[in-house]
Amino acid sequence: MIDELSVPIIPLTERTAILPIVGTMDTFRAKRLQEKALLEIERQKFKRMIIDLSGVAYMDTAVVSHLFKIVDGFMLLGCEAIVTGIRSEVANTMIELGVSIADRVITKADLQQALEELKIIS
């Protein structure tokens, strides 16, 4: 039950889901997120995954790098990643690490913006 709650993938449409990440992200949780998210993408044939980071309290440098490797895994399965809610602390960490996501990930300021642009809400 705890594992299910730590990676809550919420289908929005038949091919689009949201992965809201809340709380502190450590390497164990990132690995669990990787395993479950990739399995669900394959199982449910999602073509688009919105990863909402607005609820992340803290993410260390190793986890930031790992998170975007997970996004690479999404792409290997044919699933487009949209990342929303990147906080300034996470952006600073990405800059310090030299992590560039512009060529492989769509980013939006917040979840509402992404849902509006995908015409899931108006």
Side-chain angles (χ1 to χ4, degrees):
M1 179 73 141
I2 297 297
D3 278 346
E4 292 298 315
L5 293 174
S6 68
V7 187
I9 296 173
I10 305 163
L12 297 173
T13 68
E14 188 176 311
R15 298 286 182 230
T16 302
I18 181 170
L19 174 58
I21 302 175
V22 178
T24 300
M25 280 292 289
D26 58 19
T27 51
F28 174 79
R29 188 165 175 220
K31 181 68 173 166
R32 181 68 184 126
L33 183 143
Q34 173 185 327
E35 293 167 357
K36 183 157 191 288
L38 293 175
L39 184 65
E40 285 301 304
I41 289 168
E42 179 183 28
R43 190 174 73 77
Q44 297 197 37
K45 307 288 187 237
F46 289 127
K47 297 297 175 200
R48 187 177 297 124
M49 182 71 69
I50 301 170
I51 305 167
D52 184 39
L53 300 176
S54 62
V56 174
Y58 172 76
M59 192 181 301
D60 70 25
T61 55
V63 174
V64 170
S65 181
H66 189 100
L67 182 65
F68 291 101
K69 289 178 184 174
I70 294 170
V71 168
D72 288 339
F74 289 9
M75 292 174 61
L76 288 171
L77 295 175
C79 183
E80 173 185 57
I82 301 171
V83 179
T84 64
I86 295 176
R87 299 172 89 146
S88 61
E89 300 88 13
V90 174
N92 278 326
T93 301
M94 291 171 63
I95 292 166
E96 294 294 321
L97 290 173
V99 175
S100 176
I101 62 169
D103 59 337
R104 56 191 171 157
V105 178
I106 299 166
T107 58
K108 300 295 174 189
D110 57 33
L111 181 58
Q112 182 173 348
Q113 180 187 14
L115 295 175
E116 286 172 351
E117 289 185 16
L118 294 172
K119 300 187 182 354
I120 294 173
I121 64 168
S122 52

